[in-house]
Amino acid sequence: MRRGRINWEDMGKTAEKRIEQLRAEIRRHDHLYYVQSSPVISDRQYDALFTELKALEQEHPDLVTADSPTQRVSGRALEGFATVRHAVAMLSMDNTYNADELRAFDERVRKQLGDEGYEYVVEPKIDGLAISLRYEQGRLVTAATRGDGRVGDDVTANVRTIKAVPLVLLGDAVPAVLEVRGEVYMPTSSFAELNRLRAEAGEACFANPRNAAAGSLKLLDPKVTASRNLSFFAYAMGEVSESLGRWHTECLDRLKGFALPVNPHIRRAGDIEKVIEICLDWDEKRPDLGYQIDGMVIKIDRLDQRELLGATGRAPRWCISYKFAAEQAESIVESIDVQVGKSGILTPVANLRPVELAGTTVKRASLHNFDELNRLDVREGDTVIIEKAGEIIPQVVEVRKEQRPAAAVAFKAPSHCPNCGSAVAKDEAGVYIRCLNPDCTGQLRERLRYFAGRGQMDIEHLGPALIDQLIAKGLVSNFADLYKLTVEQIAGLERMAGKSAANVVAAIEASKTRLLWRLIAGLGIRHVGGQSAQILSERLGSLDALMAAEKDQLEDIDQIGPIMAKSVCEYFRDPKNRAVIEELIALGVRPQQQAVERSGKLAGKTIVVTGTLATMTRQQAEQAVKQAGGKASSSVSKKTDFVLAGDKAGSKLAKAKELGVRVISEEEFLAMTRG
Ligand code: IVH
């Protein structure tokens, strides 16, 4: 976890280098947040990265590129769902964290609106998932996630199971087309119950209600979504065929009249001081709400004034959020454990006296690494302050040294692996301690858990308790062994009677045809996460090609840096790893390439993108091709349907002309994909 800022000037790094690092980091967190629904940093930490990037780009406008995260709304659509293009973009919102930042926002508004009076509306910021509901003739026709703001996932079937969402609107005055935007959320009590059941079943718990809501909406089986007790509040509109009023509050009243749920705590405020008062008041009252809010949203009430204020590419200038500080609690460190990770890294974890924090009972907190543990000087018996920054994994932020028991001793980093007892070593940077034994069962357990995890091979029923038993009985010592398991072997294990064993074997069998990127991600190659795995899978096309790839070839791929390239090469040069992969293939694992959408505007078309484009990078154009159901190829042949030629297009353009392949401009391309 990041702590403090590194002084990049001192380290002699250029702004350009830092900008690149920030972009890569932000993209990684966007992916974790929007695609995997499992963020690892808080919104506040994310904002700090974003603000730093924005400031650096302002100082160096020549370094701004079209693909910088500052130039677009982040996120992307998920695999497995059809996509929906939003008629009106779903923007994000800028954040503030204190009263002075709110006053500065008010100053900006005042500057633009001049002497004209204006009023604010203050709403609870529901901590869920933004959704757009499209009603035509009063009937719900589509429900889509925000996605990247322009294109989201079609989650209509799942949203239909949410009882708070009317399938048919009430009354005769409903506009022919009405897009309603709002938040799908999971009430705190349902969240606690869901996690209790998951823990019992040995499944991973959701970090917070927002992730639980997102995870529940993105399930492929609506029956499961229906069991998750999701709810909904409407707070904005997208496309509407006729105006619902001149004020936001008036529109919300109309929505209520149509039977749409609108939060009952929405209030008007005459000036920014009143806004601040309401925000501070809700910071105190929020635990009583029954659902989580992570702040307040402040909006200009008059719609014509909103028009005047307009928007930046990312967020409107007429609204802002006020984020509450992370909730804290005090507890006592009962003991400190050391856990072995999948690559052998040892992580200290504090076992705490259970304490309520932001709607859940916290019993453990990660101490991240031994540097961090030493910095905080956490000892067994200490009274500590824990925080759930953005309601993610709880962490120890402070030790109450004055309350330390006299007998408390400093925690010593282990010299041997707590799991297998073999020697450990510090890594190059001196931050991490690693178990060096490649056969350590602690590492194996983590590798198998990760392999079977939802973001990787997604093997249902293969939970931690079962994995532990499989290892203890010597039934599994690598990924390939999973595919040799029989129903009889599993049925002989504890709590595996009845249909359970058959379910496990069926789930393992079903994972044989997962997408290639899932297998690549599941291998747990150092530095290769889900997004990099997708890039590798897209670019190399097959496991064979990936295994044979040279370091230079990997480095040539956009977004694959030298560290990752080296790590991938090393992994596949290791004969042990190769043997396991060959065995996987021999056992019938057949990773699939990403399916192409058949119904899109470019369905069945092959397109080559070449030259420099004005509004997007080549990669973004290729992504758009795929989203529209087409295939993006890198070489021009007679089979190519179009060549999209940007500025300075060279040999590919010449080849297209030679073969008589149709060449299209960026404008034509945008028209084709936007429709
Ligand atoms: S208005 C231009 N109102 O917060 C933004 N958003 O951090 C229009 N959210 O993506 C959205 N409660 O998912 C609005 N009362 C509220 C909200 C709200 C929660 C979410 C929404 C948005 C995110 C931005």
Side-chain angles (χ1 to χ4, degrees):
M1 193 111 331
R2 241 170 319 280
R3 295 235 163 245
R5 273 262 189 90
I6 296 165
N7 189 334
W8 294 97
E9 288 333 293
D10 280 358
M11 294 190 61
K13 301 260 161 124
T14 61
E16 188 171 3
K17 187 101 196 151
R18 180 66 182 147
I19 285 178
E20 273 172 24
Q21 273 173 336
L22 285 166
R23 287 178 185 158
E25 186 79 339
I26 290 168
R27 285 192 192 107
R28 188 168 80 82
H29 292 304
D30 279 345
H31 182 75
L32 285 166
Y33 184 96
Y34 291 108
V35 183
Q36 303 199 319
S37 304
S38 58
V40 296
I41 59 171
S42 65
D43 287 359
R44 193 181 288 246
Q45 287 167 314
Y46 179 90
D47 284 342
L49 294 174
F50 211 96
T51 309
E52 190 183 345
L53 177 60
K54 267 205 286 200
L56 275 175
E57 288 184 345
Q58 243 161 30
E59 272 171 43
H60 305 273
D62 50 313
L63 296 178
V64 178
T65 56
D67 65 347
S68 173
T70 57
Q71 305 300 303
R72 63 168 195 139
V73 186
S74 42
R76 57 190 269 187
L78 270 170
E79 161 205 333
F81 287 91
T83 52
V84 174
R85 192 165 283 278
H86 300 301
V88 176
M90 291 179 81
L91 298 181
S92 44
M93 224 187 294
D94 287 329
N95 297 324
T96 61
Y97 295 96
N98 56 48
D100 280 344
E101 288 176 10
L102 278 176
R103 290 186 186 107
F105 164 73
D106 183 54
E107 276 306 310
R108 294 197 293 275
V109 169
R110 189 188 315 273
K111 242 192 215 150
Q112 281 201 59
L113 294 182
D115 291 336
E116 216 180 292
Y118 51 91
E119 275 195 301
Y120 289 113
V121 182
V122 188
E123 310 182 352
K125 185 170 182 312
I126 316 296
D127 199 9
L129 188 77
I131 218 90
S132 182
L133 306 176
R134 189 178 171 92
Y135 290 90
E136 288 177 7
Q137 260 69 47
R139 286 174 190 279
L140 178 67
V141 287
T142 29
T145 62
R146 174 165 168 266
D148 70 359
R150 281 174 277 257
V151 177
D153 293 313
D154 185 339
V155 287
T156 314
N158 289 343
V159 168
R160 281 177 176 280
T161 69
I162 303 175
K163 298 202 181 71
V165 173
L167 299 180
V168 180
L169 297 179
L170 214 72
D172 326 315
V174 180
V177 174
L178 173 62
E179 262 182 26
V180 180
R181 267 105 198 240
E183 202 84 352
V184 167
Y185 67 94
M186 185 177 284
T188 316
S189 55
S190 317
F191 169 69
E193 177 65 6
L194 174 63
N195 265 354
R196 194 182 64 74
L197 292 174
R198 288 180 76 87
E200 250 177 40
E203 290 166 330
C205 289
F206 286 109
N208 54 50
R210 180 184 58 225
N211 289 355
S216 304
L217 257 200
K218 290 171 181 173
L219 290 165
L220 290 173
D221 183 356
K223 277 200 235 77
V224 184
T225 309
S227 72
R228 294 281 170 90
N229 193 27
L230 295 171
S231 197
F232 174 77
F233 280 127
Y235 51 61
M237 285 169 313
E239 188 186 358
V240 276
S241 54
E242 62 194 79
S243 160
L244 290 183
R246 289 157 58 203
W247 287 269
H248 174 61
T249 38
E250 189 184 358
C251 297
L252 291 180
D253 280 340
R254 294 287 305 279
L255 296 184
K256 258 192 266 180
F258 301 150
L260 282 154
V262 173
N263 190 282
H265 304 295
I266 295 177
R267 293 281 175 274
R268 287 170 75 171
D271 61 38
I272 200 71
E273 294 308 319
K274 183 70 194 166
V275 167
I276 293 167
E277 190 188 311
I278 299 176
C279 289
L280 297 180
D281 190 34
W282 273 109
D283 196 358
E284 301 245 311
K285 289 195 297 198
R286 65 177 154 140
D288 311 328
L289 269 176
Y291 46 87
Q292 289 211 350
I293 61 174
D294 59 338
M296 303 299 283
V297 181
I298 295 98
K299 304 174 178 173
I300 290 285
D301 197 12
R302 252 174 65 183
L303 302 185
D304 59 332
Q305 290 179 327
R306 289 187 179 188
E307 290 274 318
L308 260 171
L309 289 162
T312 67
R314 221 177 77 85
R317 292 199 195 84
W318 46 261
C319 88
I320 198 115
S321 83
Y322 170 83
K323 299 285 278 273
F324 297 138
E327 284 186 53
Q328 294 190 331
E330 197 180 274
S331 180
I332 290 178
V333 178
E334 295 187 326
S335 61
I336 297 176
D337 273 353
V338 177
Q339 290 182 340
V340 195
K342 65 183 194 302
S343 58
I345 290 177
L346 304 185
T347 305
V349 177
N351 292 311
L352 304 168
R353 181 166 299 170
V355 58
E356 286 299 310
L357 177 60
T360 54
T361 308
V362 176
K363 295 182 201 131
R364 289 158 78 74
S366 170
L367 295 163
H368 306 299
N369 57 55
F370 291 95
D371 260 14
E372 175 74 357
L373 181 144
N374 290 335
R375 191 184 68 80
L376 289 164
D377 186 19
V378 184
R379 303 182 183 188
E380 291 180 345
D382 268 344
T383 300
V384 291
I385 306 296
I386 55 167
E387 187 176 286
K388 270 191 175 179
E391 281 84 42
I392 313 174
I393 7 159
Q395 46 185 311
V396 174
V397 291
E398 198 190 317
V399 176
R400 287 270 154 88
K401 298 239 168 86
E402 66 284 0
Q403 280 166 264
R404 170 171 287 166
V409 287
F411 189 80
K412 273 217 191 71
S415 55
H416 289 88
C417 171
N419 184 79
C420 69
S422 42
V424 297
K426 274 209 163 193
D427 77 337
E428 310 90 60
V431 177
Y432 295 106
I433 297 181
R434 190 185 292 272
C435 161
L436 296 175
N437 173 12
D439 300 320
C440 169
T441 53
Q443 289 181 43
L444 174 63
R445 178 179 63 210
E446 295 305 315
R447 278 201 293 272
L448 291 172
R449 279 187 192 184
Y450 187 76
F451 183 81
R454 275 193 297 172
Q456 293 72 242
M457 293 294 270
D458 196 13
I459 308 182
E460 235 193 309
H461 311 295
L462 187 59
L466 177 57
I467 289 175
D468 284 351
Q469 289 198 68
L470 292 171
I471 295 174
K473 290 268 168 354
L475 289 171
V476 174
S477 62
N478 60 41
F479 304 137
D481 289 345
L482 291 173
Y483 295 90
K484 297 180 201 155
L485 290 169
T486 62
V487 174
E488 293 71 36
Q489 281 172 327
I490 298 176
L493 302 172
E494 267 170 52
R495 289 194 307 272
M496 277 296 147
K499 267 180 66 188
S500 306
N503 286 343
V504 174
V505 172
I508 294 175
E509 184 65 27
S511 76
K512 284 182 172 174
T513 51
R514 290 278 183 265
L515 291 177
L516 174 60
W517 75 262
R518 289 185 166 274
L519 176 64
I520 299 172
L523 297 174
I525 304 169
R526 273 185 87 189
H527 308 294
V528 180
Q531 189 166 15
S532 317
Q534 290 188 29
I535 295 169
L536 290 170
S537 148
E538 255 169 41
R539 289 306 157 110
L540 293 159
S542 72
L543 202 53
D544 281 343
L546 178 63
M547 287 171 77
E550 296 291 340
K551 187 165 174 286
D552 292 352
Q553 189 188 345
L554 293 170
E555 269 186 59
D556 280 348
I557 300 176
D558 194 18
Q559 295 185 55
I560 305 292
I563 297 177
M564 204 191 300
K566 179 164 174 265
S567 171
V568 171
C569 276
E570 276 174 10
Y571 185 89
F572 291 114
R573 293 298 164 268
D574 185 335
K576 260 199 185 161
N577 293 337
R578 294 183 79 91
V580 171
I581 292 170
E582 274 153 24
E583 222 186 334
L584 282 173
I585 303 300
L587 288 162
V589 175
R590 293 278 171 272
Q592 306 291 301
Q593 257 304 17
Q594 183 93 36
V596 173
E597 200 187 306
R598 280 168 222 293
S599 56
K601 289 193 180 357
L602 296 177
K605 303 282 185 224
T606 301
I607 296 190
V608 174
V609 184
T610 181
T612 312
L613 303 172
T615 63
M616 59 187 125
T617 62
R618 267 212 296 276
Q619 240 201 340
Q620 284 171 329
E622 289 176 1
Q623 189 70 28
V625 168
K626 278 181 237 161
Q627 259 165 8
K631 191 174 149 211
S633 165
S634 57
S635 58
V636 182
S637 74
K638 270 191 267 173
K639 289 190 201 143
T640 312
D641 292 288
F642 307 107
V643 169
L644 163 56
D647 212 22
K648 301 204 186 84
S651 61
K652 290 182 191 174
L653 176 59
K655 182 94 184 272
K657 287 186 177 154
E658 185 193 315
L659 294 174
V661 173
R662 190 175 153 201
V663 177
I664 56 170
S665 68
E666 191 170 343
E667 263 183 340
E668 284 174 90
F669 175 74
L670 289 174
M672 273 180 178
T673 46
R674 295 217 170 119

